[in-house]
Amino acid sequence: MFDQEIYVTFLWTVSGALLALLGSTGIFVSLLVQRRVERLQDVLEEFLELPYFENKNLTGPMANLVRKYQMYYLFPHGPSQTLLFYLDFTLALIGGIWMFVLLQGLQPPLGNQLVIQGLLLFLIAGNFLLFRRLLQHSINPTGNELFNAIIPPPDQLRSVSYLSRYVNVSVRSMIQQARLALVIQPDGELRLKEELSFDDFFYILSAPGLALWAWGELRLQFPADPITKKPVPLQRNIEIPLAGTSAPALSETISSLTITFWIFALGEKHPIQYRFILDREDGGFHSRPFPENTVQSQIVYQVEQKKLRILKGMELLTGMSAFLDDLWWDGERYYTQTPAKGVPCRCLRMPEIR
């Protein structure tokens, strides 16, 4: 049997050594985080500079930069689990040593002073838990609001509203790289095609030739890769159903259609206006490449409590007057071919990757 005093002294020494190792681990993690933040900022700056080359198709380089950003953002699963296991084991061991030593020194009678001492021990334990959580989020910042303000998660790089609100970037230039196109399939379904899956914006679509109006919030969610289990921040060549048109509207007498598409992003006050010209092709309609797009300064809008309010330029959206109370940022897509009745339909078809 060890001498009680020597054994307790030994435990205190071991506890101090473990705390020193824990501090070294914290320094190691902080250096990793600093290096990751530097690389992520470099990739983010490069990503935001690309859209200004409007005359070039940069969908490939932009998609590659997002994947590169995710590579630096996500810490490898194996090392991160090892670090977290070491962190948990060390904290549990230190806590166990301290509890053993304190129990050895516990002396009756138990009075009010023990409550104060216990409260201090509780605060110390809470501080250790906060330290553990901070290191955990430093290793894997996914879903952590503290680090998201510094290094946004990869899926935010496809968010038009995020880039518009927090980064000095041109929404029009960013959207232009998505290479938007409209298609009406033979069954009458109207689809929006994107070469890059930008989302997180509100849209209003007007097709006078079809007596069609469509609106809603475009928000995409991609499942994790089935093999690697890694999140997918961006997709290529995606089609989003926006509305269903009636068969009489697609009669053979119609050879072309003109559709106006407005994009409303958070942090802006004027929408981006696209003017698509669709020609009949393969039993349906396909928009011509390079549609006209501009900032529609005649329309002024504001977003309040997740609802779009048109402050100016309602004369350009006369068909939407019956639906002003339905312009919610709720992640849903709506349309109607009977605007006078004021009864919208909900588009339930899911986006598809081609």
Side-chain angles (χ1 to χ4, degrees), residues 193-214:
K193 300 177 67 175
E194 291 185 323
E195 288 192 26
L196 281 181
S197 57
F198 285 109
D199 68 343
D200 193 17
F201 59 83
F202 199 91
Y203 68 89
I204 295 178
L205 180 145
S206 172
L210 303 175
L212 173 69
W213 286 87

Side-chain angles (χ1 to χ4, degrees), residues 23-244:
S24 301
T25 304
I27 295 174
F28 171 72
V29 172
S30 65
L31 292 176
L32 285 179
V33 172
Q34 180 182 359
R35 182 59 176 164
R36 288 168 64 190
V37 170
E38 291 176 354
R39 291 187 175 183
L40 288 170
Q41 288 177 341
D42 292 339
V43 176
L44 183 60
E45 290 177 2
E46 186 177 356
F47 176 80
L48 295 176
E49 289 175 357
L50 283 180
Y52 290 98
F53 298 94
E54 298 182 2
N55 297 326
K56 296 182 180 180
N57 188 344
L58 300 172
T59 55
M62 292 182 73
N64 291 333
L65 282 176
V66 173
R67 297 189 184 100
K68 183 179 179 181
Y69 185 91
Q70 178 170 267
M71 178 185 68
Y72 290 133
Y73 185 84
L74 297 177
F75 200 78
H77 181 72
S80 64
Q81 291 299 108
T82 303
L83 279 174
L84 289 177
F85 174 78
Y86 171 76
L87 183 65
D88 293 338
F89 180 77
T90 304
L91 289 175
L93 186 59
I94 293 174
I97 291 175
W98 286 358
M99 288 300 298
F100 176 79
V101 173
L102 290 174
L103 289 176
Q104 293 296 317
L106 186 63
Q107 297 178 354
L110 304 180
N112 296 331
Q113 189 175 3
L114 180 62
V115 177
I116 299 176
Q117 294 174 342
L119 179 61
L120 292 176
L121 294 176
F122 178 78
L123 293 176
I124 293 173
N127 184 269
F128 269 96
L129 292 177
L130 290 176
F131 174 73
R132 190 261 184 199
R133 187 175 182 182
L134 179 62
L135 287 185
Q136 178 186 10
H137 287 309
S138 300
I139 296 171
N140 184 15
T142 304
N144 181 17
E145 296 182 359
L146 174 63
F147 283 90
N148 286 351
I150 306 173
I151 45 175
D155 58 357
Q156 290 283 47
L157 298 187
R158 71 168 187 257
S159 170
V160 174
S161 293
Y162 177 85
L163 297 174
S164 170
R165 293 174 62 187
Y166 298 101
V167 184
N168 186 20
V169 65
S170 170
V171 175
R172 177 175 172 271
S173 300
M174 186 68 66
I175 288 292
Q176 190 166 341
Q177 293 301 328
R179 308 293 171 180
L180 302 183
L182 288 178
V183 174
I184 300 179
Q185 296 184 332
D187 61 358
E189 185 177 67
L190 174 63
R191 291 189 167 207
L192 174 67
K193 300 177 67 175
E194 291 185 323
E195 288 192 26
L196 281 181
S197 57
F198 285 109
D199 68 343
D200 193 17
F201 59 83
F202 199 91
Y203 68 89
I204 295 178
L205 180 145
S206 172
L210 303 175
L212 173 69
W213 286 87
W215 66 94
E217 181 192 6
L218 185 59
R219 184 175 293 276
L220 303 173
Q221 293 182 351
F222 303 123
D225 188 278
I227 299 177
T228 63
K229 307 301 180 182
K230 294 181 180 179
V232 179
L234 194 70
Q235 288 284 10
R236 299 283 304 274
N237 301 321
I238 187 170
E239 296 185 5
I240 304 103
L242 300 182

Side-chain angles (χ1 to χ4, degrees), residues 250-311:
L250 299 178
S251 62
E252 295 293 337
T253 59
I254 302 177
S255 59
S256 65
L257 293 168
T258 300
I259 296 179
T260 306
F261 188 76
W262 293 277
I263 295 176
F264 302 82
L266 289 172
E268 301 290 329
K269 65 178 182 179
H270 301 299
I272 308 299
Q273 176 179 297
Y274 272 80
R275 185 173 180 269
F276 294 96
I277 299 178
L278 287 74
D279 297 320
R280 183 174 291 277
E281 182 180 340
D282 299 330
F285 289 86
H286 294 259
S287 63
R288 299 175 185 176
F290 309 109
E292 175 188 342
N293 67 90
T294 183
V295 177
Q296 181 52 268
S297 58
Q298 297 183 32
I299 298 178
V300 179
Y301 69 92
Q302 185 180 16
V303 179
E304 291 183 350
Q305 298 179 351
K306 295 186 177 182
K307 186 176 182 180
L308 180 68
R309 292 183 55 202
I310 305 299
L311 305 179

